[in-house]
Coordinates of all heavy atoms in Angstrom, one line a residue:
M1 N 28.9 60.1 -163.6 CA 29.2 61.5 -163.6 C 28.8 62.2 -164.9 O 29.5 62.9 -165.5 CB 30.7 61.7 -163.4 CG 31.1 62.3 -162.1 SD 32.8 62.7 -162.0 CE 32.8 64.3 -162.7
N2 N 27.6 61.9 -165.4 CA 27.0 62.6 -166.5 C 27.9 62.3 -167.8 O 27.8 63.1 -168.7 CB 26.9 64.1 -166.3 CG 26.0 64.4 -165.2 OD1 25.1 63.6 -164.8 ND2 26.2 65.6 -164.6
G3 N 28.7 61.3 -167.8 CA 29.6 61.0 -168.9 C 30.7 62.0 -169.0 O 31.4 61.9 -170.0
L4 N 30.9 62.8 -168.1 CA 32.0 63.8 -168.1 C 33.2 63.2 -167.3 O 33.0 62.6 -166.3 CB 31.6 65.1 -167.5 CG 30.5 65.8 -168.2 CD1 30.1 67.1 -167.5 CD2 30.8 66.1 -169.7
T5 N 34.4 63.4 -167.8 CA 35.6 63.0 -167.1 C 36.4 64.2 -166.8 O 36.9 64.9 -167.8 CB 36.4 62.0 -168.0 OG1 35.5 60.9 -168.4 CG2 37.6 61.5 -167.3
P6 N 36.7 64.4 -165.6 CA 37.5 65.6 -165.3 C 38.9 65.4 -165.6 O 39.4 64.2 -165.6 CB 37.4 65.7 -163.7 CG 37.0 64.4 -163.3 CD 36.2 63.7 -164.4
S7 N 39.6 66.4 -166.0 CA 41.0 66.4 -166.3 C 41.7 66.9 -165.1 O 41.5 68.1 -164.7 CB 41.3 67.2 -167.5 OG 42.7 67.3 -167.7
V8 N 42.5 66.1 -164.4 CA 43.2 66.5 -163.2 C 44.7 66.4 -163.3 O 45.2 65.4 -163.9 CB 42.7 65.6 -162.0 CG1 43.5 66.0 -160.7 CG2 41.2 65.6 -161.8
R9 N 45.3 67.5 -163.0 CA 46.8 67.5 -163.1 C 47.4 68.2 -161.9 O 46.9 69.2 -161.4 CB 47.2 68.2 -164.3 CG 48.7 68.0 -164.6 CD 49.1 68.3 -166.1 NE 48.7 69.7 -166.4 CZ 49.5 70.6 -166.9 NH1 50.8 70.3 -167.0 NH2 49.1 71.8 -167.2
R10 N 48.4 67.6 -161.3 CA 49.1 68.2 -160.1 C 50.3 69.0 -160.6 O 51.0 68.5 -161.4 CB 49.5 67.1 -159.1 CG 50.1 67.7 -157.9 CD 50.5 66.5 -157.0 NE 49.4 65.7 -156.6 CZ 48.9 65.6 -155.3 NH1 49.5 66.3 -154.4 NH2 47.9 64.9 -155.1
V11 N 50.4 70.2 -160.2 CA 51.6 71.0 -160.6 C 52.3 71.5 -159.4 O 51.7 71.7 -158.3 CB 51.2 72.3 -161.5 CG1 50.5 71.8 -162.8 CG2 50.2 73.2 -160.7
R12 N 53.6 71.6 -159.5 CA 54.4 72.0 -158.3 C 54.5 73.6 -158.5 O 55.2 74.0 -159.3 CB 55.8 71.4 -158.3 CG 56.6 71.7 -157.1 CD 57.9 70.8 -157.1 NE 57.6 69.4 -157.0 CZ 57.3 68.8 -155.9 NH1 57.3 69.4 -154.7 NH2 57.0 67.5 -155.9
A13 N 53.8 74.3 -157.6 CA 53.8 75.7 -157.7 C 55.0 76.3 -156.9 O 55.4 75.7 -155.8 CB 52.5 76.3 -157.1
Q14 N 55.6 77.3 -157.4 CA 56.7 78.0 -156.7 C 56.3 79.5 -156.5 O 55.5 80.0 -157.3 CB 57.9 78.0 -157.6 CG 58.4 76.6 -157.8 CD 59.7 76.6 -158.7 OE1 60.1 77.6 -159.3 NE2 60.4 75.4 -158.7
V15 N 56.8 80.1 -155.4 CA 56.6 81.5 -155.2 C 56.9 82.3 -156.4 O 57.9 82.1 -157.0 CB 57.4 81.9 -154.0 CG1 57.3 83.4 -153.8 CG2 56.9 81.2 -152.7
G16 N 55.9 83.1 -156.8 CA 56.1 84.0 -157.9 C 55.3 83.4 -159.1 O 55.1 84.1 -160.1
D17 N 54.9 82.2 -159.0 CA 54.1 81.6 -160.1 C 52.7 82.3 -160.1 O 52.2 82.7 -159.1 CB 53.9 80.1 -160.0 CG 55.1 79.3 -160.3 OD1 56.1 79.9 -160.9 OD2 55.1 78.1 -160.0
R18 N 52.1 82.3 -161.3 CA 50.7 82.8 -161.4 C 50.0 81.7 -162.2 O 50.3 81.4 -163.3 CB 50.7 84.1 -162.2 CG 49.3 84.6 -162.5 CD 49.3 86.1 -163.0 NE 49.4 87.0 -161.8 CZ 49.4 88.3 -161.9 NH1 49.4 88.8 -163.1 NH2 49.5 89.0 -160.8
L19 N 48.9 81.3 -161.6 CA 48.1 80.2 -162.2 C 46.8 80.8 -162.7 O 46.2 81.7 -162.1 CB 47.7 79.2 -161.1 CG 48.9 78.5 -160.4 CD1 48.4 77.6 -159.3 CD2 49.9 77.9 -161.4
L20 N 46.3 80.3 -163.9 CA 45.1 80.8 -164.5 C 44.1 79.6 -164.6 O 44.5 78.6 -165.1 CB 45.4 81.4 -165.9 CG 44.2 81.6 -166.8 CD1 43.4 82.8 -166.2 CD2 44.6 81.9 -168.2
L21 N 42.9 79.8 -164.1 CA 41.8 78.9 -164.4 C 40.8 79.7 -165.1 O 40.5 80.8 -164.7 CB 41.2 78.4 -163.0 CG 42.1 77.7 -162.1 CD1 41.4 77.4 -160.8 CD2 42.7 76.4 -162.7
C22 N 40.4 79.1 -166.3 CA 39.4 79.9 -167.1 C 38.5 79.0 -167.8 O 38.7 77.8 -168.0 CB 40.1 80.8 -168.0 SG 41.0 80.0 -169.4
S23 N 37.4 79.6 -168.2 CA 36.4 78.8 -169.0 C 36.8 79.0 -170.5 O 37.6 79.9 -170.9 CB 35.0 79.3 -168.8 OG 34.9 80.7 -169.2
D24 N 36.2 78.2 -171.3 CA 36.5 78.3 -172.8 C 35.9 79.6 -173.4 O 36.2 79.9 -174.5 CB 36.0 77.0 -173.5 CG 34.5 76.7 -173.4 OD1 33.8 77.5 -172.7 OD2 34.1 75.7 -173.9
G25 N 35.1 80.3 -172.6 CA 34.7 81.6 -173.0 C 35.9 82.6 -173.2 O 35.9 83.5 -174.0
L26 N 37.0 82.3 -172.5 CA 38.3 83.0 -172.7 C 39.2 82.2 -173.6 O 39.6 82.8 -174.7 CB 39.0 83.1 -171.3 CG 40.4 83.8 -171.5 CD1 40.3 85.3 -171.8 CD2 41.2 83.6 -170.2
S27 N 39.4 81.0 -173.4 CA 40.5 80.2 -174.1 C 40.1 80.0 -175.6 O 41.0 79.9 -176.4 CB 40.8 78.9 -173.4 OG 39.7 78.1 -173.3
D28 N 38.8 80.0 -175.9 CA 38.4 79.8 -177.3 C 38.5 81.1 -178.1 O 38.4 81.1 -179.3 CB 37.0 79.2 -177.4 CG 37.0 77.7 -177.1 OD1 38.0 77.1 -176.8 OD2 35.8 77.2 -177.0
Y29 N 38.6 82.2 -177.4 CA 38.5 83.5 -178.1 C 39.8 84.4 -178.0 O 39.9 85.4 -178.7 CB 37.3 84.3 -177.5 CG 36.0 83.7 -177.9 CD1 35.4 82.7 -177.1 CD2 35.4 84.0 -179.1 CE1 34.2 82.1 -177.5 CE2 34.2 83.4 -179.5 CZ 33.6 82.4 -178.6 OH 32.4 81.8 -179.0
V30 N 40.7 84.0 -177.1 CA 41.9 84.8 -177.0 C 43.1 83.8 -177.1 O 43.1 82.7 -176.4 CB 42.0 85.5 -175.7 CG1 43.3 86.3 -175.6 CG2 40.8 86.4 -175.5
D31 N 44.0 84.0 -178.0 CA 45.1 83.0 -178.2 C 46.1 83.0 -177.0 O 46.1 84.0 -176.3 CB 45.8 83.2 -179.6 CG 46.6 84.5 -179.7 OD1 47.4 84.8 -178.7 OD2 46.5 85.2 -180.6
E32 N 46.7 81.9 -176.9 CA 47.6 81.7 -175.7 C 48.6 82.7 -175.6 O 49.0 83.1 -174.4 CB 48.2 80.3 -175.8 CG 47.2 79.2 -175.5 CD 47.9 77.8 -175.5 OE1 49.1 77.7 -175.3 OE2 47.2 76.8 -175.7
R33 N 49.2 83.2 -176.7 CA 50.2 84.2 -176.6 C 49.7 85.5 -176.0 O 50.3 86.1 -175.1 CB 50.8 84.5 -178.0 CG 52.2 85.2 -177.9 CD 52.7 85.3 -179.3 NE 51.8 85.9 -180.2 CZ 51.9 86.1 -181.5 NH1 53.0 85.6 -182.1 NH2 51.0 86.7 -182.3
E34 N 48.5 85.9 -176.4 CA 47.9 87.1 -175.8 C 47.5 86.9 -174.3 O 47.7 87.8 -173.5 CB 46.7 87.6 -176.6 CG 46.1 88.9 -176.1 CD 45.0 89.5 -176.9 OE1 44.6 88.8 -177.9 OE2 44.5 90.6 -176.6
I35 N 47.0 85.7 -174.0 CA 46.7 85.4 -172.6 C 47.9 85.5 -171.8 O 47.9 86.1 -170.7 CB 46.0 84.0 -172.5 CG1 44.6 84.0 -173.1 CG2 46.0 83.6 -171.0 CD1 44.0 82.6 -173.2
A36 N 49.0 84.9 -172.3 CA 50.3 84.9 -171.5 C 50.8 86.4 -171.3 O 51.2 86.7 -170.2 CB 51.3 84.1 -172.2
Q37 N 50.6 87.2 -172.4 CA 51.1 88.5 -172.3 C 50.3 89.3 -171.2 O 50.8 90.0 -170.4 CB 51.0 89.2 -173.7 CG 51.4 90.7 -173.7 CD 51.1 91.3 -175.0 OE1 50.8 90.6 -176.0 NE2 51.2 92.6 -175.1
L38 N 48.9 89.1 -171.3 CA 48.1 89.9 -170.3 C 48.3 89.4 -168.9 O 48.2 90.2 -168.0 CB 46.6 89.7 -170.7 CG 46.3 90.4 -172.1 CD1 44.8 90.1 -172.5 CD2 46.5 91.9 -172.0
L39 N 48.6 88.1 -168.7 CA 48.9 87.6 -167.4 C 50.1 88.2 -166.8 O 50.3 88.2 -165.6 CB 49.1 86.1 -167.4 CG 47.8 85.2 -167.4 CD1 48.1 83.8 -167.6 CD2 47.0 85.5 -166.2
R40 N 51.0 88.8 -167.6 CA 52.2 89.4 -167.1 C 51.9 90.8 -166.5 O 52.8 91.4 -165.9 CB 53.3 89.5 -168.2 CG 53.9 88.1 -168.5 CD 55.1 88.3 -169.4 NE 55.6 86.9 -169.8 CZ 55.2 86.2 -170.9 NH1 54.3 86.8 -171.7 NH2 55.6 85.0 -171.1
T41 N 50.7 91.3 -166.7 CA 50.3 92.5 -166.0 C 50.5 92.3 -164.5 O 49.9 91.4 -164.0 CB 48.8 92.9 -166.3 OG1 48.7 92.9 -167.8 CG2 48.4 94.2 -165.7
S42 N 51.3 93.1 -163.9 CA 51.6 92.8 -162.5 C 50.4 92.9 -161.6 O 50.3 92.1 -160.6 CB 52.7 93.8 -162.0 OG 52.3 95.1 -162.1
D43 N 49.5 93.9 -161.8 CA 48.3 94.0 -160.9 C 47.3 92.9 -161.3 O 46.8 92.8 -162.5 CB 47.7 95.4 -161.1 CG 46.4 95.5 -160.2 OD1 46.6 95.8 -159.0 OD2 45.3 95.3 -160.7
R44 N 47.0 92.0 -160.4 CA 46.2 90.8 -160.7 C 44.8 91.2 -161.2 O 44.2 90.7 -162.1 CB 46.1 90.0 -159.4 CG 45.4 88.7 -159.6 CD 45.5 87.8 -158.3 NE 45.2 88.5 -157.1 CZ 46.0 88.7 -156.1 NH1 47.3 88.3 -156.2 NH2 45.6 89.3 -155.0
H45 N 44.2 92.2 -160.5 CA 42.8 92.7 -160.9 C 42.8 93.3 -162.3 O 41.9 93.1 -163.0 CB 42.3 93.6 -159.8 CG 42.1 92.9 -158.5 ND1 43.1 93.1 -157.5 CD2 41.2 92.1 -158.0 CE1 42.7 92.4 -156.4 NE2 41.6 91.8 -156.7
A46 N 43.9 94.0 -162.6 CA 43.9 94.6 -163.9 C 44.1 93.5 -165.0 O 43.5 93.6 -166.1 CB 45.1 95.6 -164.0
A47 N 44.9 92.5 -164.7 CA 45.0 91.4 -165.6 C 43.7 90.7 -165.8 O 43.4 90.4 -167.0 CB 46.1 90.4 -165.0
L48 N 42.9 90.5 -164.8 CA 41.6 89.9 -164.9 C 40.7 90.7 -165.9 O 40.1 90.1 -166.8 CB 40.9 89.8 -163.5 CG 41.2 88.7 -162.6 CD1 40.6 88.9 -161.2 CD2 40.6 87.4 -163.2
S49 N 40.7 92.0 -165.6 CA 39.8 92.8 -166.5 C 40.3 92.8 -167.9 O 39.4 92.7 -168.8 CB 39.9 94.3 -165.9 OG 39.3 94.4 -164.7
Q50 N 41.6 92.8 -168.1 CA 42.1 92.8 -169.5 C 41.8 91.5 -170.2 O 41.5 91.5 -171.4 CB 43.6 93.1 -169.5 CG 43.9 94.5 -169.1 CD 45.4 94.8 -168.9 OE1 46.2 94.1 -169.4 NE2 45.7 95.8 -168.1
L51 N 41.9 90.4 -169.5 CA 41.6 89.1 -170.1 C 40.1 89.0 -170.5 O 39.8 88.6 -171.6 CB 41.9 88.0 -169.1 CG 43.4 87.7 -169.0 CD1 43.7 86.9 -167.7 CD2 44.0 87.1 -170.2
V52 N 39.2 89.5 -169.6 CA 37.8 89.4 -169.9 C 37.5 90.4 -171.0 O 36.7 90.0 -172.0 CB 36.9 89.8 -168.7 CG1 35.5 89.9 -169.0 CG2 37.1 88.7 -167.6
D53 N 38.1 91.6 -171.0 CA 37.8 92.5 -172.1 C 38.3 92.0 -173.4 O 37.6 92.2 -174.4 CB 38.6 93.9 -171.8 CG 37.9 94.6 -170.7 OD1 36.8 94.3 -170.2 OD2 38.6 95.6 -170.2
A54 N 39.4 91.3 -173.4 CA 40.0 90.7 -174.7 C 39.0 89.7 -175.3 O 38.7 89.7 -176.5 CB 41.4 90.1 -174.5
A55 N 38.5 88.9 -174.4 CA 37.5 87.8 -174.8 C 36.3 88.5 -175.4 O 35.8 88.1 -176.5 CB 37.2 86.9 -173.7
L56 N 35.7 89.5 -174.7 CA 34.5 90.1 -175.2 C 34.8 90.9 -176.5 O 34.0 90.9 -177.4 CB 34.0 91.0 -174.1 CG 33.5 90.3 -172.8 CD1 33.1 91.3 -171.8 CD2 32.4 89.3 -173.1
R57 N 36.0 91.5 -176.6 CA 36.3 92.3 -177.8 C 36.5 91.3 -179.0 O 36.2 91.7 -180.1 CB 37.7 93.0 -177.5 CG 38.1 94.0 -178.6 CD 39.3 94.8 -178.2 NE 40.4 94.0 -177.8 CZ 40.9 94.0 -176.5 NH1 40.4 94.7 -175.6 NH2 41.9 93.2 -176.2
N58 N 36.9 90.1 -178.7 CA 37.0 89.1 -179.8 C 35.7 88.3 -180.1 O 35.8 87.4 -180.8 CB 38.2 88.1 -179.5 CG 39.5 88.7 -179.5 OD1 39.7 89.8 -180.0 ND2 40.5 88.1 -178.9
G59 N 34.7 88.8 -179.5 CA 33.4 88.3 -179.9 C 32.9 87.1 -179.0 O 32.0 86.4 -179.5
S60 N 33.5 86.8 -177.9 CA 33.0 85.7 -177.1 C 31.6 85.9 -176.7 O 31.1 86.9 -176.2 CB 33.9 85.6 -175.8 OG 33.4 84.5 -175.0
R61 N 30.8 84.8 -177.0 CA 29.4 84.8 -176.7 C 29.1 83.8 -175.6 O 27.9 83.6 -175.2 CB 28.5 84.6 -177.9 CG 28.8 85.5 -179.0 CD 27.8 85.4 -180.2 NE 26.4 85.6 -179.8 CZ 25.9 86.8 -179.5 NH1 26.5 87.9 -179.6 NH2 24.6 86.8 -179.2
D62 N 30.1 83.2 -175.0 CA 30.0 82.3 -173.9 C 30.2 83.1 -172.6 O 30.6 84.2 -172.7 CB 31.1 81.2 -174.1 CG 30.8 79.9 -173.3 OD1 29.8 79.9 -172.5 OD2 31.5 78.9 -173.6
N63 N 30.0 82.4 -171.5 CA 30.4 83.1 -170.3 C 31.9 83.1 -170.2 O 32.6 82.3 -170.8 CB 29.9 82.4 -169.0 CG 30.5 81.1 -168.7 OD1 31.6 81.1 -168.2 ND2 29.9 80.0 -169.1
V64 N 32.5 84.2 -169.7 CA 33.9 84.3 -169.6 C 34.3 84.3 -168.1 O 34.1 85.3 -167.4 CB 34.4 85.7 -170.2 CG1 35.9 85.8 -170.2 CG2 33.9 85.8 -171.7
T65 N 34.8 83.2 -167.6 CA 35.2 83.0 -166.2 C 36.7 83.0 -166.1 O 37.3 82.1 -166.8 CB 34.5 81.7 -165.7 OG1 33.1 81.8 -165.8 CG2 34.9 81.6 -164.2
V66 N 37.2 83.8 -165.3 CA 38.7 83.9 -165.2 C 39.1 83.9 -163.7 O 38.5 84.8 -162.9 CB 39.3 85.1 -165.9 CG1 40.8 85.2 -165.7 CG2 38.9 85.2 -167.4
V67 N 39.9 83.0 -163.3 CA 40.5 83.1 -161.9 C 42.0 83.1 -162.0 O 42.6 82.3 -162.7 CB 40.0 81.8 -161.1 CG1 40.7 81.8 -159.7 CG2 38.5 81.7 -161.0
I68 N 42.6 84.1 -161.3 CA 44.1 84.2 -161.3 C 44.5 83.9 -159.9 O 44.0 84.5 -158.9 CB 44.6 85.5 -161.8 CG1 44.2 85.8 -163.2 CG2 46.1 85.7 -161.5 CD1 44.6 87.2 -163.7
A69 N 45.5 83.0 -159.7 CA 46.0 82.7 -158.4 C 47.5 83.0 -158.4 O 48.2 82.4 -159.2 CB 45.7 81.3 -158.0
D70 N 47.9 83.9 -157.6 CA 49.4 84.1 -157.4 C 49.9 83.3 -156.2 O 49.3 83.3 -155.2 CB 49.6 85.6 -157.1 CG 49.4 86.5 -158.4 OD1 49.6 86.0 -159.5 OD2 49.1 87.7 -158.2
V71 N 51.0 82.7 -156.4 CA 51.7 81.9 -155.4 C 52.5 82.9 -154.6 O 53.5 83.4 -155.1 CB 52.5 80.8 -155.9 CG1 53.1 80.0 -154.8 CG2 51.6 79.9 -156.8
L72 N 52.2 83.1 -153.3 CA 52.8 84.1 -152.5 C 53.7 83.4 -151.4 O 53.4 82.2 -151.0 CB 51.8 84.9 -151.8 CG 50.8 85.7 -152.7 CD1 49.8 86.4 -151.9 CD2 51.6 86.6 -153.6
P73 N 54.7 84.0 -150.9 CA 55.5 83.5 -149.8 C 54.8 83.6 -148.5 O 53.9 84.4 -148.4 CB 56.8 84.4 -149.9 CG 56.3 85.7 -150.4 CD 55.2 85.4 -151.3
G74 N 55.3 82.9 -147.6 CA 54.9 83.1 -146.2 C 53.8 82.1 -145.7 O 53.4 82.2 -144.5
Q75 N 53.3 81.2 -146.5 CA 52.3 80.3 -146.0 C 53.0 79.0 -145.7 O 53.9 78.5 -146.5 CB 51.2 80.1 -147.0 CG 50.4 81.3 -147.2 CD 49.6 81.8 -146.0 OE1 49.4 81.0 -145.1 NE2 49.2 83.0 -145.9
D76 N 52.7 78.3 -144.6 CA 53.2 77.0 -144.3 C 52.6 76.0 -145.3 O 51.4 75.8 -145.4 CB 52.7 76.6 -142.9 CG 53.2 75.2 -142.5 OD1 53.8 74.5 -143.4 OD2 53.0 74.8 -141.4
P77 N 53.5 75.4 -146.1 CA 53.0 74.5 -147.2 C 52.2 73.3 -146.6 O 51.5 72.6 -147.4 CB 54.2 74.1 -148.0 CG 55.3 74.3 -147.0 CD 54.9 75.5 -146.2
Q78 N 52.4 73.0 -145.3 CA 51.7 71.9 -144.7 C 50.3 72.3 -144.2 O 49.5 71.4 -143.9 CB 52.5 71.3 -143.6 CG 53.9 70.8 -144.0 CD 53.8 69.7 -145.1 OE1 53.0 68.8 -145.1 NE2 54.7 69.9 -146.1
A79 N 50.1 73.6 -144.1 CA 48.8 74.0 -143.6 C 47.7 73.8 -144.7 O 48.0 73.9 -145.9 CB 48.9 75.5 -143.2
G80 N 46.5 73.5 -144.2 CA 45.4 73.4 -145.2 C 45.1 74.8 -145.7 O 45.4 75.8 -145.1
W81 N 44.4 74.8 -146.9 CA 44.1 76.1 -147.5 C 43.1 76.9 -146.6 O 43.1 78.1 -146.7 CB 43.5 75.9 -148.9 CG 42.2 75.1 -149.0 CD1 42.1 73.8 -149.1 CD2 40.9 75.7 -148.9 NE1 40.7 73.5 -149.1 CE2 40.0 74.6 -149.0 CE3 40.4 77.0 -148.9 CZ2 38.6 74.8 -149.0 CZ3 39.1 77.2 -148.8 CH2 38.2 76.1 -148.9
L82 N 42.3 76.2 -145.8 CA 41.3 77.0 -145.0 C 42.1 77.8 -144.0 O 41.7 78.9 -143.7 CB 40.4 76.0 -144.2 CG 39.2 75.5 -145.0 CD1 38.5 74.4 -144.2 CD2 38.3 76.6 -145.4
D83 N 43.3 77.3 -143.5 CA 44.1 78.1 -142.6 C 44.7 79.3 -143.2 O 45.1 80.3 -142.5 CB 45.2 77.2 -142.0 CG 44.6 76.1 -141.2 OD1 43.5 76.2 -140.7 OD2 45.3 75.0 -141.2
A84 N 44.8 79.4 -144.5 CA 45.4 80.5 -145.2 C 44.4 81.6 -145.5 O 44.8 82.7 -146.0 CB 46.0 80.0 -146.5
L85 N 43.1 81.4 -145.3 CA 42.1 82.4 -145.6 C 42.3 83.6 -144.6 O 42.6 83.4 -143.4 CB 40.7 81.9 -145.5 CG 40.3 80.8 -146.5 CD1 38.9 80.3 -146.3 CD2 40.4 81.4 -147.9
P86 N 42.1 84.8 -145.1 CA 42.3 86.0 -144.2 C 41.2 86.1 -143.2 O 41.3 86.9 -142.2 CB 42.3 87.1 -145.2 CG 41.6 86.7 -146.4 CD 41.8 85.2 -146.4
Y87 N 40.1 85.4 -143.3 CA 39.0 85.6 -142.4 C 38.8 84.3 -141.6 O 38.6 83.2 -142.1 CB 37.7 85.9 -143.2 CG 37.9 87.0 -144.2 CD1 38.0 86.7 -145.6 CD2 38.0 88.3 -143.8 CE1 38.2 87.7 -146.5 CE2 38.2 89.3 -144.8 CZ 38.3 89.0 -146.1 OH 38.5 90.0 -147.0
P88 N 38.8 84.5 -140.3 CA 38.6 83.3 -139.4 C 37.2 82.7 -139.6 O 36.2 83.5 -139.9 CB 38.8 83.8 -138.0 CG 38.6 85.3 -138.1 CD 38.9 85.7 -139.5
A89 N 37.0 81.4 -139.4 CA 35.7 80.8 -139.5 C 34.8 81.3 -138.4 O 35.2 81.7 -137.3 CB 35.9 79.3 -139.4
Ligands
MN101 MN1 31.9 77.4 -172.2

C-alpha cells in the first residue's frame, strides 16, 4: 500500500452528532477550537464555507477538503448506506 497505513476508527454516532472529515489543508491552518466553533454553525453549507474561508484566510496553500456529515433521525440503522441515498439506482 505505498508504505501508507490508514488510520481507522469506529465511532458510535448518535442523532444530532456532526462529523467532520477534512484534509490537512484545513487542520494544519485552523486550530481545533475555531474548527469546533465553526462546526456549531447550524447551517451545514454555511459551516463548510466558513471552514474553507478560515483555512484560506490563514494562508493554507494546500488543498482544503471538508466534508460535514450530520447524523439524522429516521434511517434504519440496519439498512446499508446505499438504501439511504435520496436517488434510486
Ligand atoms: Mn495535504
Side-chain angles (χ1 to χ4, degrees):
M1 250 186 85
N2 301 334
L4 300 176
T5 304
S7 174
V8 178
R9 188 162 59 121
R10 184 183 298 249
V11 296
R12 186 173 299 278
Q14 299 180 345
V15 171
D17 285 350
R18 173 168 280 179
L19 307 176
L20 168 69
L21 303 174
C22 70
S23 66
D24 56 1
L26 175 72
S27 59
D28 285 355
Y29 292 88
V30 182
D31 67 51
E32 288 184 20
R33 199 174 54 187
E34 185 174 2
I35 290 174
Q37 179 186 347
L38 294 174
L39 278 174
R40 289 189 182 91
T41 303
S42 59
D43 181 83
R44 185 171 53 242
H45 297 98
L48 275 170
S49 296
Q50 290 172 25
L51 287 164
V52 172
D53 288 348
L56 297 176
R57 190 172 52 247
N58 290 345
S60 181
R61 303 190 56 80
D62 201 350
N63 72 76
V64 183
T65 302
V66 179
V67 175
I68 295 175
D70 285 334
V71 180
L72 304 175
Q75 295 295 339
D76 177 356
Q78 299 306 315
W81 64 270
L82 280 174
D83 296 331
L85 293 177
Y87 311 105

